[in-house]
């Protein structure tokens, strides 16, 4: 059975002008798990994450985090509550060094020793970032920027990380590496993760619980070990053979 819900979405509807992107989504992310929302291009995955982190205000429904209603709160406040968003396309600060990008992630923290320890820990997860610590982040490859974006989110000591398509534009080898570290972060730090992905194979292997999104609606949910066995789902909703 699943642990208690850390994040709870109830009947969320979000739209861009007349375009309804999310049409009544309810989902839960339990304390300590990796949950995933799977779906094809345009299904509404990114819109769900933006609604959770306060970038988009929903037309209907509520977002509850750690027992608090955070619906449509200011995004900066939501980060302070322990919820970090790693957006699609990474969005590192290109003209700041790798190390300064990491420090930006920790800007609300006052525990210098803790910050230094966490920088050391992300360098252990992603050794290439240690080698590039003094370089401008804009000079990193796409995969390295993804590593930095995840690391910067970690520096805020979040209880929950929202991860938008970490595999986007990366080679299969690099995707596999990043997923392995995401699972390690979850296991070692106990960080709860909500991952949205088009790469259903990778996500179903990494996550504990999965939701399948189609046209802004959840059409199926189950434990990932069960979803992996359902061939028809893979074929119809996830484009896998
Ligand atoms: P992708 O993998 O392409 O990001 P997604 O599953 O994350 O897909 P969303 O980006 O959430 O999907 O988009 C959901 C729907 O909302 C799509 O129909 C998309 O065209 C539409 N949409 C997204 N952003 C905007 C916007 N800024 N203005 C208008 N429509 C938008």
């Amino acid at each position: 059975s699943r642990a208690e819900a850390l994040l709870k979405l109830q009947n969320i509807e979000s739209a861009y002008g007349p375009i309804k992107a999310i049409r009544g989504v309810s989902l839960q992310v339990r304390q300590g798990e990796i949950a995933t929302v799977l779906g094809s291009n345009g299904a509404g995955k990114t819109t769900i994450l933006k609604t959770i982190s306060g970038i988009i205000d929903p037309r209907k429904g509520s977002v509850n985090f750690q027992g608090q209603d955070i619906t449509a709160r200011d995004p900066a406040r939501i980060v302070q509550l322990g919820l970090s968003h790693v957006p699609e396309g990474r969005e590192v600060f290109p003209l700041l060094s790798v190390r300064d990008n990491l420090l930006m992630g920790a800007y609300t923290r006052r525990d210098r020793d803790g910050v230094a320890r966490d920088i050391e820990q992300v360098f252990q997860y992603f050794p290439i970032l240690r080698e590039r610590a003094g370089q401008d982040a804009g000079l990193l490859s796409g995969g390295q920027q993804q590593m930095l974006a995840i690391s910067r989110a970690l520096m805020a000591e979040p209880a929950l990380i929202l991860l938008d398509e970490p595999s986007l534009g990366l080679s299969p080898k690099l995707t596999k590496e990043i997923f392995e570290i995401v699972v390690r972060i979850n296991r070692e730090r106990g960080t709860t993760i909500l991952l949205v992905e088009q790469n259903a194979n990778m996500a179903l292997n990494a996550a504990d619980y999965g939701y399948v999104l189609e046209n802004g609606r959840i059409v199926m949910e189950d434990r990932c070990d069960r979803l992996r066995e359902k061939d028809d789902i893979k074929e119809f909703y996830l484009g896998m053979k």
Side-chain angles (χ1 to χ4, degrees):
S1 72
R2 296 169 75 198
E4 208 175 308
L6 183 66
L7 179 78
K8 200 167 174 178
L9 271 60
Q10 276 176 306
N11 204 22
I12 288 290
E13 282 185 32
S14 293
Y16 302 95
I19 301 165
K20 280 192 186 169
I22 300 298
R23 304 156 183 264
V25 162
S26 297
L27 62 80
Q28 301 195 11
V29 181
R30 311 275 173 167
Q31 177 76 46
E33 79 178 354
I34 302 181
T36 187
V37 175
L38 304 170
S40 55
N41 209 343
K45 303 180 299 297
T46 297
T47 305
I48 290 181
L49 295 193
K50 286 182 172 170
T51 304
I52 296 168
S53 63
I55 299 167
I56 293 176
D57 293 350
R59 299 261 168 100
K60 285 189 188 155
S62 65
V63 182
N64 189 288
F65 176 59
Q66 290 179 322
Q68 278 189 65
D69 187 344
I70 61 162
T71 317
R73 285 247 194 120
D74 175 41
R77 277 290 301 145
I78 292 176
V79 175
Q80 282 169 6
L81 292 174
L83 202 160
S84 288
H85 186 172
V86 181
E88 200 174 31
R90 295 112 203 194
E91 299 182 20
V92 299
F93 301 106
L95 299 177
L96 291 184
S97 70
V98 167
R99 186 184 297 280
D100 285 345
N101 267 272
L102 293 173
L103 290 172
M104 290 292 282
Y107 78 102
T108 57
R109 293 173 62 180
R110 294 291 166 262
D111 56 325
R112 284 168 162 235
D113 294 350
V115 171
R117 260 199 311 280
D118 278 349
I119 287 185
E120 186 53 36
Q121 172 146 52
V122 302
F123 284 166
Q124 274 171 27
Y125 288 140
F126 301 114
I128 189 72
L129 297 183
R130 187 197 304 276
E131 287 173 35
R132 301 289 162 87
Q135 280 184 18
D136 285 359
L139 298 174
L140 298 177
S141 71
Q144 292 161 359
Q145 288 188 22
Q146 182 64 268
M147 294 173 188
L148 180 57
I150 293 170
S151 299
R152 192 180 61 195
L154 273 181
M155 293 304 298
E157 293 189 297
L160 174 65
I161 294 184
L162 307 177
L163 210 47
D164 196 346
E165 300 233 16
S167 75
L168 193 78
L170 302 189
S171 69
K173 181 170 175 283
L174 210 48
T175 300
K176 189 163 167 284
E177 258 179 67
I178 286 186
F179 270 83
E180 279 167 9
I181 301 296
V182 168
V183 171
R184 257 184 80 192
I185 288 166
N186 168 258
R187 303 288 185 268
E188 292 177 9
R189 297 180 60 110
T191 310
T192 306
I193 293 168
L194 174 58
L195 164 76
V196 312
E197 258 299 342
Q198 274 190 62
N199 188 333
N201 240 335
M202 291 303 301
L204 285 175
N205 281 321
D208 303 297
Y209 200 85
Y211 294 88
V212 179
L213 187 71
E214 193 193 39
N215 284 324
R217 288 193 177 88
I218 305 282
V219 292
M220 173 138 322
E221 64 170 278
D222 208 338
R223 278 175 16 205
C224 289
D225 57 349
R226 296 207 189 107
L227 287 176
R228 280 199 296 268
E229 287 166 6
K230 295 180 182 165
D231 292 335
D232 51 337
I233 297 172
K234 291 191 194 166
E235 215 172 304
F236 291 123
Y237 297 118
L238 308 173
M240 297 160 72
K241 283 279 152 65

